[in-house]
Amino acid sequence: MFPNFRQHHNCYCAFCKSPRRIYRKRSISLMNVLGSALASVVMMFAIWQQFDPRVMIVFVVCLAFSEVFVKIRWRLSVVCRACGFDPVLYTKDPQAAADKVRFQLDVRKQDPKYLLAKPLNLPAIPAEKAKALQEKGKGRLVSRSI
Ligand SMILES: [Zn+2]
């Protein structure tokens, strides 16, 4: 089969189940390396007007910039725009991820833009189960739709 050239990966948010598109690429590929090489050669001729060994430093800086850009782009695309759920943060610190979701849901509640929007499909916990969980002191409820 053909290699997959699509930039995005279609999936669903693990928390609110809304459809998501996240960037496929997590770090630079061969094309980015070639692009950085081309950019550094162009910059070399722009700065020194001849071949100069300092082009290697420019090349490494270009590579670093593109890697940082691709990483940040992927990291930002992973976070759900609807509920603010961040799967990467959740694997490291579930409590911090829960706080972020709570904050995002509060913002959503205040914002009149979302008044007529489709409500989020949040995980529902029955009242008895929620009470039992809170009595056990296991975690904290971020949201509860009844
Ligand atoms: Zn979500």
Side-chain angles (χ1 to χ4, degrees), residues 13-18 20 80-85 120:
C13 172
F15 187 67
C16 71
K17 305 176 196 83
S18 49
R20 311 276 328 281
C80 176
R81 292 223 183 96
C83 70
F85 179 68
L120 292 177

Side-chain angles (χ1 to χ4, degrees), residues 59-76:
F59 175 59
V60 169
V61 169
C62 282
L63 274 186
F65 267 115
S66 47
E67 173 73 23
V68 165
F69 171 77
V70 170
K71 272 258 163 13
I72 289 177
R73 188 182 68 175
W74 176 79
R75 190 65 186 80
L76 289 178

Side-chain angles (χ1 to χ4, degrees), residues 23-39:
Y23 274 99
R24 203 171 268 280
K25 220 154 79 168
R26 291 173 69 162
S27 60
I28 52 174
S29 62
L30 182 67
M31 281 311 285
N32 296 100
V33 175
L34 292 179
S36 299
L38 188 69

Side-chain angles (χ1 to χ4, degrees), residues 2-51:
F2 294 109
N4 204 338
F5 288 120
R6 282 187 329 168
Q7 273 203 321
H8 289 94
H9 177 75
N10 291 324
C11 61
Y12 293 92
C13 172
F15 187 67
C16 71
K17 305 176 196 83
S18 49
R20 311 276 328 281
R21 294 180 82 203
I22 60 174
Y23 274 99
R24 203 171 268 280
K25 220 154 79 168
R26 291 173 69 162
S27 60
I28 52 174
S29 62
L30 182 67
M31 281 311 285
N32 296 100
V33 175
L34 292 179
S36 299
L38 188 69
S40 51
V41 166
V42 167
M43 277 164 81
M44 175 186 76
F45 281 112
I47 297 170
W48 298 295
Q49 275 94 41
Q50 59 177 345
F51 186 78

